[in-house]
Amino acid sequence: MVLVGGCHCGAIRYEVRGEPIAHALCHCRDCRRHAGAPMVGWAMYPADAVKVTQGEPKLYKSSEHGRRYFCPDCGTGLFYTNDDVFPGIIDVQSATFDDPEAVPAQAHIQVAERIKWMGRAHELPAFDRFPPRE
Ligand SMILES: [Zn+2]
Ligand SMILES: [Zn+2]
């Protein structure tokens, strides 16, 4: 299987070969604050399975060993590596796949740091678009 993806503006494109080692929705504080989102989906691959085919992501050191890669033009988060905890592994921000349905998430991780109301997010009212106006 080959999946392709990229950032919002299109400056950075990548391709990924093979099945992910895992695909998890991360609730840790670092992911949340870097993405500006309540959780972030990560598909984990061997580092050599992922190839940037266009553009050059910018590197941000988000912790002592954590490295986050994002598009310097539009800010989309793309990859994460941590040579201390996950040597030889790269995490791909799975919502940046052109087909984000291709690899379903398998688990929630780092829920010890989850925003409390996110634990019941699936119970919230849902609308195809927006709530009806009064
Ligand atoms: Zn971009
Ligand atoms: Zn995280």
Side-chain angles (χ1 to χ4, degrees), residues 26 28 31 42:
C26 187
C28 85
C31 284
W42 294 108

Side-chain angles (χ1 to χ4, degrees), residues 1-68:
M1 179 168 64
V2 177
L3 289 176
V4 294
C7 66
H8 188 268
C9 78
I12 296 179
R13 299 290 300 163
Y14 66 82
E15 66 177 37
V16 179
R17 293 183 177 276
E19 303 292 326
I21 298 164
H23 181 190
L25 302 174
C26 187
H27 294 267
C28 85
R29 187 174 189 275
D30 279 350
C31 284
R32 182 163 71 235
R33 293 189 57 84
H34 186 259
M39 67 182 177
V40 179
W42 294 108
M44 177 183 277
Y45 292 89
D48 61 6
V50 179
K51 189 170 78 177
V52 174
T53 53
Q54 180 186 299
E56 190 174 343
K58 186 169 180 181
L59 166 63
Y60 168 62
K61 298 179 182 179
S62 60
S63 63
E64 185 183 359
H65 297 285
R67 301 289 181 267
R68 291 172 194 266

Side-chain angles (χ1 to χ4, degrees), residues 16-131:
V16 179
R17 293 183 177 276
E19 303 292 326
I21 298 164
H23 181 190
L25 302 174
C26 187
H27 294 267
C28 85
R29 187 174 189 275
D30 279 350
C31 284
R32 182 163 71 235
R33 293 189 57 84
H34 186 259
M39 67 182 177
V40 179
W42 294 108
M44 177 183 277
Y45 292 89
D48 61 6
V50 179
K51 189 170 78 177
V52 174
T53 53
Q54 180 186 299
E56 190 174 343
K58 186 169 180 181
L59 166 63
Y60 168 62
K61 298 179 182 179
S62 60
S63 63
E64 185 183 359
H65 297 285
R67 301 289 181 267
R68 291 172 194 266
Y69 297 81
F70 64 97
C71 173
D73 292 330
C74 70
T76 304
L78 294 162
F79 312 118
Y80 175 82
T81 62
N82 187 319
D83 288 340
D84 187 49
V85 184
F86 304 116
I89 294 291
I90 186 166
D91 270 335
V92 177
Q93 209 154 310
S94 57
T96 66
F97 290 142
D98 287 358
D99 179 9
E101 309 277 4
V103 180
Q106 301 154 332
H108 292 271
I109 58 171
Q110 299 275 42
V111 294
E113 296 182 18
R114 180 172 61 190
I115 299 172
K116 285 196 178 62
W117 52 256
M118 274 297 284
R120 302 182 68 168
H122 59 288
E123 298 174 9
L124 295 172
F127 304 94
D128 276 349
R129 298 298 176 193
F130 300 103

